[in-house]
Each structure stands twice: as C-alpha cells, then as structure tokens.
C-alpha cells in the first residue's frame, strides 16, 4: 500500500513539473511566421486566449489563461490590432498585450546584397511607415569622410547593413535607416582593412568591391577569389566586366541583359569603363566585406559560370583559358534553352 502511495505521489510530482515546464516555457523562441490578430473590446481572458490559440500564436489557450492569472494580468490585456508571431511564448504575448497595440514589435529582414530599391518593398511589407527609398538617400548619422566616400554621396547605398531588425510599431523608415547605419559602423570596425589601404583603397572602395562580390557569388568560398579578380583588373587598368553593375544601373535584376543595356553609357557600366563604379550597388554582408578587404593572393583575371556546378565559377589567369571556359558555358546555356546552366548535378 505504501509503495502504491509513493508511486502515486511521484506521478503527481512529475505531472506538476510537466505542467510548470509547459507554463514557463524555458526554451521558447521568439516565434516564426507573422500573424495579424484582432483583440475585440470587452473580450475577456478566455475569449482572448481562444483567439490566440486558434491563430497559433500560443501553444495552449488554457495555459495562457493560467499564466496570465498567475502574472496578475487578467484585466490588463488591451484590445486592438496586433502583428504577432506564431509559436510565441506566453510571457512575450502577455507583455505585448499589456503594453497595447502601439508598442508591438515589427520585424524586418534585409537580405545581403540587395540595393535600396530592392529593399524598399520588403520594408513596406513589414509595416514600417515612410518612404524607405527617400529615407536612405542621406542621413545625419552617416559620416562619409570616415569612410573615404564623396562628401555628398548620391545615397547611402552599401552602408545600410543587411540584417534582421526589430522596431516598435509606428517606427519609420528613417528609424530603420538609423539602425542600419549604426550596425554598419559596428560591423565594419571589426574588418581588417589594412591590406586594402596598402593598395590605396578606402573603406568606401572596399564596400563598393564587396557589393559586387555579393552579387557575383553564390558559393561562399569564391568570395575572396572574385575579389582577387577585381583587384587584379584594377591593377592592370582593365574594365571589370561585371554585369551586376549594369543590372544596378538599369534596374534589371531578373531578366537577361539586352545588348543595348550592356552597351549603355552609364558610369556603372564596368564593361566599357575601367576602374570601380561610382559607388556600391547594394548592401554587402560581413563575408563579402572581409573578402573585399583581403582577397585571395591569386593571379586570376577571369571567371565564368561553370555548367552544372551549383553556381560555382571557372577561374582563369589567361584569356585563352577563359575562352575555353566561356565556350563551354555558352554551349551549356544554349542546351538549356538560353537559361544559365547552373543546375546542380
């Protein structure tokens, strides 16, 4: 009899611990997909819990009620429209609903390499107010002289660090730009630019090179190699021949470039102009910044997509070898119906 009581007590203890564990959620993350939730006026805790449960914001409406009661917040949850995330912790949801809809957090992720024009729709979709394109033209938080940039650069292109940012609802595009510039300052300070400086390149030049490296590579280990090609061509006074700069000038990031676009007279056309383009063509990430600051020590002058190699390139130091690689690429492209033959084997 005593043994049975002991087992029963143990079972109760285990059940209580499991309940407490589920209630506290010690390893809960920040949630994932965003979901728009409307909390009606005069809706009680049970009704709010049902809404959150049905939308997948919390794992259990019942446990949410218990957590709110224990936290003394039963009557503190404010009505309104919220942008929440699925799978949030009970504590985070309680904090947001207690503060009210004006204080919820908006999350926006700016991928590496995107230009300002490409990032603008992402910012708008995230619910951040204002005109991102205009906000990212200039800022008092940007210090061009510290980076060797023109005293009055055309825009903040390249210095809007790509990352995930959290802002309070009601924040503007200017607030996001300020955060991006601060993030750039913090991250560039960790990059060793001594080698680039020894080649008479400024941080502005490094960012410009990095922005091209970002758009030209899809294989991480190739970043320092592409940077090396750029350095070598600059040293020899050869045009860089990077189509990504033409795409930036024309705004054509997806369609095949036309002959007229490739022959255009834009200062960003690195096919017919030697030297670096006037500035960055997007916002590079850390890996590309580091590659642009310290490229591989190789003699490569050319590269072209290697057919069926998942986006990898064939690098070469002579025009003769480059022509062989180019002919192989063109044959594969024709066989693919005019599409880039980058498929993985």
């Amino acid at each position: 009899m005593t043994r049975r009581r002991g087992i029963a007590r143990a079972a109760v203890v285990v059940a209580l611990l499991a309940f407490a564990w589920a209630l506290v959620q010690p390893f809960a993350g920040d949630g994932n997909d965003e979901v728009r939730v409307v909390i009606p006026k005069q809706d009680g805790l049970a009704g709010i819990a049902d809404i959150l449960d049905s939308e997948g914001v919390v794992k259990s409406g019942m446990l949410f009620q218990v957590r709110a009661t224990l936290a003394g917040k039963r009557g503190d949850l404010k009505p309104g429209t919220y942008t929440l995330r699925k799978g949030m912790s009970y504590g985070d949801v309680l904090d947001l609903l207690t503060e009210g809809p004006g204080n919820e957090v908006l999350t926006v992720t700016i991928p590496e390499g995107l230009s300002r024009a490409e990032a603008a729709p992402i910012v708008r979709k995230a619910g951040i107010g204002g005109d991102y394109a205009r906000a990212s033209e200039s800022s008092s938080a940007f210090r061009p002289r510290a980076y060797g940039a023109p005293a009055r650069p055309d825009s903040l292109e390249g210095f809007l660090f790509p990352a995930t940012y959290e802002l309070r609802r009601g924040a503007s595009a200017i607030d996001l730009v300020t955060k991006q510039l601060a993030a750039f300052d913090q991250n560039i300070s960790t990059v060793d630019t001594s080698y680039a400086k020894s080649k008479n390149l400024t941080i502005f030049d490094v960012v410009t090179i990095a922005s091209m490296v970002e758009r030209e590579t899809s294989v991480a280990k190739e970043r320092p190699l592409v940077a090396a090609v750029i350095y070598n061509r600059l040293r020899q006074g050869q045009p860089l021949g990077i189509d990504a700069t033409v795409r930036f000038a024309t705004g054509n990031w997806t369609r095949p470039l036309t002959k007229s676009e490739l022959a255009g007279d834009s200062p960003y056309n690195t096919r017919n102009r030697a030297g670096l383009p006037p500035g960055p063509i997007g916002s590079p990430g850390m890996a590309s910044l580091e590659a642009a600051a310290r490229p591989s020590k190789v003699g490569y002058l050319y590269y072209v997509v290697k057919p069926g190699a998942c986006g990898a390139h064939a690098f070469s130091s002579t025009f003769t070898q480059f022509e062989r690689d180019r002919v192989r690429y063109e044959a594969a492209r024709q066989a693919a119906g005019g599409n880039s033959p980058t498929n993985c084997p």
Side-chain angles (χ1 to χ4, degrees):
M1 191 71 174
T2 303
R3 183 182 178 186
R4 289 181 180 178
R5 288 179 178 174
I7 293 174
R9 288 174 181 172
V12 170
V13 170
V14 170
L16 289 173
L17 288 174
F19 178 79
W21 184 274
L23 191 63
V24 176
Q25 297 177 295
F27 300 118
D30 296 327
N32 37 59
D33 297 336
E34 289 187 347
V35 57
R36 185 171 177 269
V37 176
V38 178
I39 304 299
K41 290 182 179 180
Q42 298 179 339
D43 209 354
L45 177 58
I48 294 173
D50 286 342
I51 293 172
L52 297 174
D53 194 336
S54 64
E55 294 291 347
V57 174
V58 297
K59 189 173 183 179
S60 167
M62 183 272 289
L63 289 180
F64 177 78
Q65 292 186 65
V66 174
R67 182 68 181 271
T69 301
L70 292 176
K73 295 183 177 182
R74 287 186 64 95
D76 296 337
L77 308 185
K78 296 179 174 60
T81 301
Y82 296 82
T83 299
L84 303 175
R85 295 185 295 277
K86 292 186 177 181
M88 293 180 69
S89 70
Y90 302 130
D92 286 346
V93 177
L94 282 172
D95 288 343
L96 291 174
L97 267 60
T98 301
E99 293 176 1
N103 292 315
E104 62 184 296
V105 175
L106 297 177
T107 302
V108 58
T109 298
I110 309 297
E112 296 175 347
L114 295 192
S115 66
R116 294 163 50 240
E118 292 175 292
I122 297 174
V123 175
R124 184 168 57 252
K125 187 176 180 180
I128 296 172
D131 187 334
Y132 182 78
R134 176 174 293 181
S136 59
E137 286 180 354
S138 63
S139 171
S140 59
F142 183 59
R143 302 171 293 120
R145 291 184 179 179
Y147 302 123
R152 293 185 177 180
D154 292 338
S155 71
L156 303 176
E157 195 78 75
F159 295 86
L160 303 162
F161 196 75
T164 296
Y165 297 91
E166 290 190 345
L167 301 95
R168 291 290 186 184
R169 178 165 289 281
S172 68
I174 294 176
D175 297 322
L176 173 59
V177 166
T178 301
K179 280 179 171 285
Q180 288 183 279
L181 291 174
F184 177 85
D185 283 343
Q186 181 180 0
N187 282 277
I188 197 64
S189 67
T190 68
V191 177
D192 181 2
T193 58
S194 58
Y195 179 80
K197 289 178 180 177
S198 74
K199 302 300 179 183
N200 296 317
L201 296 173
T202 65
I203 292 179
F204 182 76
D205 296 330
V206 169
V207 176
T208 300
I209 293 171
S211 70
M212 292 185 284
V213 169
E214 194 72 69
R215 297 305 295 235
E216 289 287 287
T217 57
S218 56
V219 178
K221 66 181 180 181
E222 289 188 352
R223 288 190 177 98
L225 299 177
V226 171
V229 171
I230 294 173
Y231 271 71
N232 293 339
R233 281 179 166 260
L234 288 174
R235 186 177 66 252
Q236 295 192 12
Q238 295 185 28
L240 300 181
I242 292 179
D243 288 349
T245 62
V246 179
R247 291 189 177 280
F248 174 78
T250 61
N252 175 10
W253 290 109
T254 57
R255 296 174 287 101
L257 290 168
T258 65
K259 289 183 178 179
S260 61
E261 287 174 331
L262 292 171
D265 194 36
S266 167
Y268 283 90
N269 191 337
T270 56
R271 282 203 170 201
N272 53 28
R273 291 174 181 259
L276 292 173
I281 61 172
S283 294
M286 280 296 292
S288 291
L289 286 168
E290 291 170 346
R294 189 168 292 275
S296 296
K297 294 182 178 180
V298 293
Y300 295 145
L301 288 168
Y302 310 93
Y303 61 87
V304 66
V305 171
K306 189 185 298 183
C310 301
H313 293 86
F315 292 85
S316 53
S317 302
T318 67
F319 184 74
T320 301
Q321 182 58 51
F322 168 70
E323 271 298 291
R324 294 195 194 101
D325 295 334
R326 188 188 65 79
V327 168
R328 188 180 302 113
Y329 165 78
E330 288 295 340
R333 189 173 73 87
Q334 290 297 324
N339 297 314
S340 182
T342 58
N343 293 338
C344 300

